[in-house]
Amino acid sequence: MHTWGKMAASMLLISIIIMVSASDNNSCLMTQVEMQSQRIFLNEVNTSCPVLMGKNAVLCCPPIALKYLIIITWEIILRGQPSCKKGYRKETNETKETNCTDERITWVSRPDQNPALQIRPVAITHDGYYRCIIGTPDGNFHRGYHLQVLVTPEVTLFQSRNGAVVCKAVAGKPAAQISWIPEGDCVTEQEYWGNGTVTVKSTCHWEGHDVYTVTCHVSHLTGNKCLSTKLNSGLRTSGSPALSSLRIILYVKLSLFVVILVITGFVFFQRINDVRMKVEGAGNQLNI
Ligand SMILES: *[C@@H]1O[C@H](CO)[C@@H](O)[C@H](O)[C@H]1NC(C)=O
Ligand SMILES: *[C@@H]1O[C@H](CO)[C@@H](O)[C@H](O)[C@H]1NC(C)=O
Ligand SMILES: *[C@@H]1O[C@H](CO)[C@@H](O)[C@H](O)[C@H]1NC(C)=O
Ligand SMILES: *[C@@H]1O[C@H](CO)[C@@H](O)[C@H](O)[C@H]1NC(C)=O
Ligand SMILES: *[C@@H]1O[C@H](CO)[C@@H](O)[C@H](O)[C@H]1NC(C)=O
């Protein structure tokens, strides 16, 4: 049952991501998911809600018919800011705000027509908790959202001067994951920025292997990316010390062989000369 719950939760998460990132639509994107979540988690009030930075988001209140409505309150708790409250009282037809400074967070329309909240556009600072409370004669109904803002990392792949290949996923949120095909000798570092983004850098070597092309695979909640590069030949030569030392030994042996050949040739030539001189000397003597 536990596994089933987890599976359902992840499916729900995926469907929310798809729904939220699929459009810049003003309609109440969460409604359908909420219905689903009500069926799956009967007592669950909070929903995790990943949203892409730069998109628009609409957060819905519990589905209560507006005629039963007395009061609507939105509580917005963002990191490092005083909690903001937006309220609407039907009786007096009045809206009220306390501590709300972000102009990108507003009612979708007049609250007596639609109590949903919109964020246009979503910024990295909108990570936080959003809760709608609807007061009715039968009591209060709550709906909470843990909004997680996603930022697509910028992915680069390059070869450094010392022959290592570097794959970087810059300023993503949350941190991206980097893997390689084929697997290499890798060091992965993470750098955390003050705004909540993370840069992931993976530096790899493929020494002593016959590797011509490498692929960096970056997986992230906002989508996966693959980049490939050819290893240049300089890297392969310098990257295989065993091979190059073999080659040096070969060269030394070859030059030694040539030197011996020259010396032998020289000695041989000298001997022939000596013999010729002796023969000529004997001939001269005979002539006298
Ligand atoms: C907006 O939502 C409505 C209803 O949900 C849909 O019919 C319409 O195609 C959507 N528009 C865009 C641009 O996604
Ligand atoms: C919903 O989240 C808020 C804020 O984190 C928390 O105070 C509250 O207890 C949560 N409610 C449920 C039912 O999990
Ligand atoms: C408004 O912010 C102040 C602190 O800046 C806090 O004491 C107060 O409770 C906040 N009001 C509401 C309604 O959250
Ligand atoms: C509530 O106030 C708005 C303007 O703030 C007005 O347009 C609307 O007609 C009012 N609704 C009712 C039911 O009085
Ligand atoms: C976060 O901070 C890093 C480093 O200062 C910067 O490169 C990046 O653009 C910032 N991202 C956002 C979404 O502000």
Side-chain angles (χ1 to χ4, degrees):
M1 194 196 133
H2 211 72
T3 330
W4 184 84
K6 270 187 193 164
M7 216 169 75
S10 60
M11 273 167 62
L12 181 70
L13 200 75
I14 289 163
S15 64
I16 292 173
I17 293 175
I18 292 166
M19 289 180 76
V20 172
S21 56
S23 73
D24 277 11
N25 216 327
N26 226 2
S27 62
C28 217
L29 291 168
M30 303 302 171
T31 308
Q32 198 185 334
V33 177
E34 274 187 346
M35 298 302 180
Q36 215 176 334
S37 83
Q38 271 188 330
R39 252 183 282 132
I40 296 169
F41 314 98
L42 286 170
N43 304 312
E44 184 95 18
V45 186
N46 288 333
T47 313
S48 273
C49 189
V51 198
L52 257 183
M53 188 180 79
K55 296 282 182 185
N56 300 329
V58 175
L59 306 175
C60 292
C61 287
I64 307 286
L66 292 173
K67 60 180 174 183
Y68 301 124
L69 168 78
I70 297 172
I71 191 167
I72 309 167
T73 309
W74 272 99
E75 279 175 12
I76 301 157
I77 302 167
L78 305 180
R79 193 162 16 99
Q81 288 176 33
S83 79
C84 138
K85 277 195 180 122
K86 289 177 190 290
Y88 172 77
R89 185 175 288 278
K90 194 179 174 191
E91 197 183 24
T92 56
N93 191 25
E94 264 182 346
T95 56
K96 201 178 156 192
E97 297 197 349
T98 12
N99 289 345
C100 300
T101 50
D102 197 321
E103 284 165 5
R104 292 164 292 194
I105 304 175
T106 58
W107 298 98
V108 163
S109 68
R110 268 177 32 210
D112 56 325
Q113 291 175 344
N114 184 353
L117 194 74
Q118 67 177 357
I119 311 175
R120 286 178 79 95
V122 173
I124 198 162
T125 49
H126 289 141
D127 249 354
Y129 182 61
Y130 299 72
R131 183 161 72 151
C132 177
I133 306 155
I134 290 201
T136 73
D138 295 329
N140 288 348
F141 293 85
H142 299 247
R143 181 67 78 244
Y145 300 91
H146 289 286
L147 205 75
Q148 184 198 16
V149 180
L150 308 178
V151 183
T152 312
E154 200 173 305
V155 179
T156 55
L157 178 65
F158 59 92
Q159 199 162 339
S160 70
R161 239 175 287 137
N162 68 7
V165 182
V166 180
C167 186
K168 262 185 170 182
V170 177
K173 187 174 174 295
Q177 292 195 317
I178 297 180
S179 55
W180 292 87
I181 304 166
E183 273 182 40
D185 224 342
C186 302
V187 176
T188 303
E189 296 158 278
Q190 295 193 338
E191 200 169 348
Y192 290 83
W193 303 108
N195 55 21
T197 62
V198 186
T199 294
V200 182
K201 178 178 151 190
S202 181
T203 308
C204 294
H205 293 269
W206 286 267
E207 279 165 4
H209 295 100
D210 259 344
V211 174
Y212 295 90
T213 307
V214 295
T215 302
C216 161
H217 183 83
V218 177
S219 64
H220 195 255
L221 276 178
T222 58
N224 301 335
K225 217 172 248 175
C226 278
L227 290 180
S228 292
T229 187
K230 280 199 173 92
L231 301 185
N232 64 38
S233 53
L235 174 71
R236 274 202 307 281
T237 314
S238 68
S240 31
L243 202 77
S244 53
S245 59
L246 257 182
R247 225 173 258 176
I248 289 170
I249 291 169
L250 203 76
Y251 288 152
V252 168
K253 275 187 180 169
L254 209 74
S255 38
L256 263 177
F257 181 69
V258 168
V259 167
I260 288 167
L261 211 70
V262 167
I263 291 172
T264 319
F266 187 72
V267 168
F268 188 68
F269 182 74
Q270 203 76 349
R271 278 211 185 143
I272 286 181
N273 245 9
D274 278 359
V275 169
R276 206 182 278 165
M277 294 249 290
K278 272 182 196 159
V279 169
E280 270 173 19
N284 281 351
Q285 274 174 0
L286 277 179
N287 280 349
I288 291 169

